[in-house]
Structures are given as structure tokens and as C-alpha cells.
Amino acid sequence: MTRTDQIFSRLSWAIGLATAAFLMLPIVITVVVSFSASPVYTLPPPDWSLRWYEALQRKSGLVEAVILSLNLAVLSTAISLALGTAAAIAVARGQFPGRAGVGTFVVSPLMMPGLVLGVAMLQFFRDIGLRDAYWSLLLAHVVITLPFVMRTLLAAMGSFDFSMIDAARTLGMSYPKAIAKVLIPNLAPAYLTGGLFAFLASMDNYPISIFLTDAWNKTLPIKMLQYLEEQPDPSIAAMSTGLILLAIVVLAIGARTVGLNRMIQG
């Protein structure tokens, strides 16, 4: 390696590390502030304390918001996995006109601003007479999680040998059973990846949920906004730290599961 190559290599590493540090800085600040003893957002913290994590126990409606968000995330992810499988198979194997258009339509929510999508869903649900906040939130979360599952499965199915499905059917399996016994195990990493991103997207959704909640059904991000308006103290940073930890745990479990799956297949 020449001197010039070494300089450019070190410069590339420096730029990459600086970019990573810049992107991670808001997360680090949030975590640090959550352990501050100050009643306001102060950096550096004057003292260290767990008071804001203890204060979460006294937050009214926090447990209900967490349970609702987890409920919506789990159900919407499960529904999206089922619908995404059917849609991906149709696009990957189908021979009907407009096949590519169907794939684009399913992932179109990712291309639209969240606020625009939220207003459109609110108007649509009102037009069809759906006024129940929980079911409106669930349907909306399915719409926003389905693209993550669809895109991941569609990419994975590009390298999947569908003759294995045909072979399973010739051995007496029905088509749904062949999907469950052959397709899903072989595409387990894709299902896990799509499911994890869908789960996190549902848990963290704000711009769509804000239009569909009511006084009795408020997701965690909406509840955090309410706390921020009523009493902006570092307990919000403690909640955010909990969400960051949840994302890390979920992704770590996913990475571990994918690694074990590859070891078993190998």
C-alpha cells in the first residue's frame, strides 16, 4: 500500500468514525440525562441519580400505554407476517398483469409522509364508519408494518427454490402446509428481520397514531408527548432510554437467532 493509499484509508476511517459518533450523540445525551439528579435537562449532570426511573412508577397511564403499544406491535407484526407472506408469494410467483404494481402499492406507505398518511387514514376510517380507536390503530399499524415484511420476504424469495414447494405438494401436503413446513423454515432469517423491523416501527410510531388515539387508547409515544407538554422533566429521557434498551435487546435476540439458524443449517 502506497503512502497515498494509507492516507486515504485513515481519512476514510476517521470520517466514518466521526459520522457514527455524530449519529450516536443524541442517543448518548438521552441516556446521560436520564441518570441526572437535576429536575431540568442539564449537561453535564450536576449529580447522578435514579430518581427519574423511580418517577416512572408514579406516571399515570404509563403502564396502560406500554401495554397498548406492545399489544398493537405484536398483533400488527403477526398480521403483517401472514399478509406479507401471501403478497410476496403472489408477486414472486404470480403471472398476472400489474404484478410489479402490487408490490409497489404494498410498500407505498414508506414513500409517503407519516402525517399525510395519518390524515388519510383518519378520513377513510370515518367514511366507513369505523370510530373505535383500538381497531383504527391496529389497522393503521398493519398498514405501516406490512411494507417492512413485504420487502424483506420478497428479496429473500428471489433466491428461494419454489420447486421445493412443488415437491412437498407431490408428497401429499396441501399448499398452506407446504408453506408452513418448507418455505417459512428456509426463510426464517427474512421473517425474523422483517418482523423485528415491523415490531420496532409499530412501537415507535407517532405521526399516524396521533390522529387515531382517544382519551382511553394512547400509545406510548403519544403518552410521552403528553408528559412532555404537562411536565417536561428528565423522566422523558428515562422512558426514551427504556425504548432504546428495548430496541437493542430485540435486535440482539434477532441476531442471535439468525446466527443459531445458520449454524443449524450449516
Side-chain angles (χ1 to χ4, degrees), residues 154-205:
L154 194 58
M157 286 181 185
S159 58
F160 177 73
D161 186 3
F162 277 91
S163 63
M164 297 171 64
I165 301 290
D166 299 331
R169 296 190 66 189
T170 59
L171 295 175
M173 285 189 181
S174 63
Y175 197 81
K177 190 173 182 179
I179 295 295
K181 294 290 186 178
V182 179
L183 177 67
I184 293 179
N186 279 277
L187 299 185
Y191 277 96
L192 183 61
T193 302
L196 290 178
F197 278 107
F199 178 85
L200 294 176
S202 175
M203 282 292 298
D204 194 44
N205 182 265

Side-chain angles (χ1 to χ4, degrees), residues 24-231:
M24 293 294 293
L25 187 60
I27 297 177
V28 174
I29 291 175
T30 300
V31 174
V32 170
V33 169
S34 71
F35 291 100
S36 173
S38 172
V40 295
Y41 294 89
T42 306
L43 281 176
D47 199 4
W48 302 99
S49 173
L50 294 175
R51 61 178 294 191
W52 302 117
Y53 290 91
E54 296 173 354
L56 296 181
Q57 303 175 17
R58 301 187 293 273
K59 289 287 187 181
S60 62
L62 178 59
V63 174
E64 291 80 1
V66 172
I67 292 175
L68 176 62
S69 290
L70 288 173
N71 180 286
L72 291 172
V74 171
L75 287 180
S76 61
T77 299
I79 295 172
S80 293
L81 287 172
L83 295 179
T85 299
I89 291 174
V91 173
R93 295 279 286 171
Q95 302 297 328
F96 56 91
R99 181 166 56 100
V102 173
T104 303
F105 174 77
V106 174
V107 301
S108 61
L110 293 179
M111 308 174 191
M112 300 177 62
L115 293 176
V116 174
L117 197 59
V119 173
M121 287 187 180
L122 175 63
Q123 183 63 44
F124 173 73
F125 291 150
R126 294 301 177 267
D127 288 345
I128 65 175
L130 180 59
R131 301 185 180 277
D132 184 273
Y134 175 80
W135 290 106
S136 298
L137 284 168
L138 180 58
L139 290 176
H141 280 230
V142 170
V143 171
I144 61 177
T145 56
L146 182 58
F148 293 97
V149 175
M150 170 71 173
R151 293 290 291 182
T152 306
L153 291 181
L154 194 58
M157 286 181 185
S159 58
F160 177 73
D161 186 3
F162 277 91
S163 63
M164 297 171 64
I165 301 290
D166 299 331
R169 296 190 66 189
T170 59
L171 295 175
M173 285 189 181
S174 63
Y175 197 81
K177 190 173 182 179
I179 295 295
K181 294 290 186 178
V182 179
L183 177 67
I184 293 179
N186 279 277
L187 299 185
Y191 277 96
L192 183 61
T193 302
L196 290 178
F197 278 107
F199 178 85
L200 294 176
S202 175
M203 282 292 298
D204 194 44
N205 182 265
Y206 161 76
I208 295 175
S209 299
I210 193 172
F211 291 101
L212 304 174
T213 57
D214 59 14
W216 301 275
N217 295 276
K218 291 186 178 180
T219 60
L220 183 57
I222 306 302
K223 202 67 178 178
M224 291 174 65
L225 177 64
Q226 179 182 331
Y227 294 145
L228 190 61
E229 293 174 346
E230 296 174 351
Q231 191 175 1

Side-chain angles (χ1 to χ4, degrees), residues 1-13:
M1 182 180 292
T2 64
R3 180 70 174 175
T4 303
D5 292 337
Q6 292 178 351
I7 293 175
F8 275 103
S9 177
R10 292 173 182 174
L11 182 62
S12 299
W13 272 102

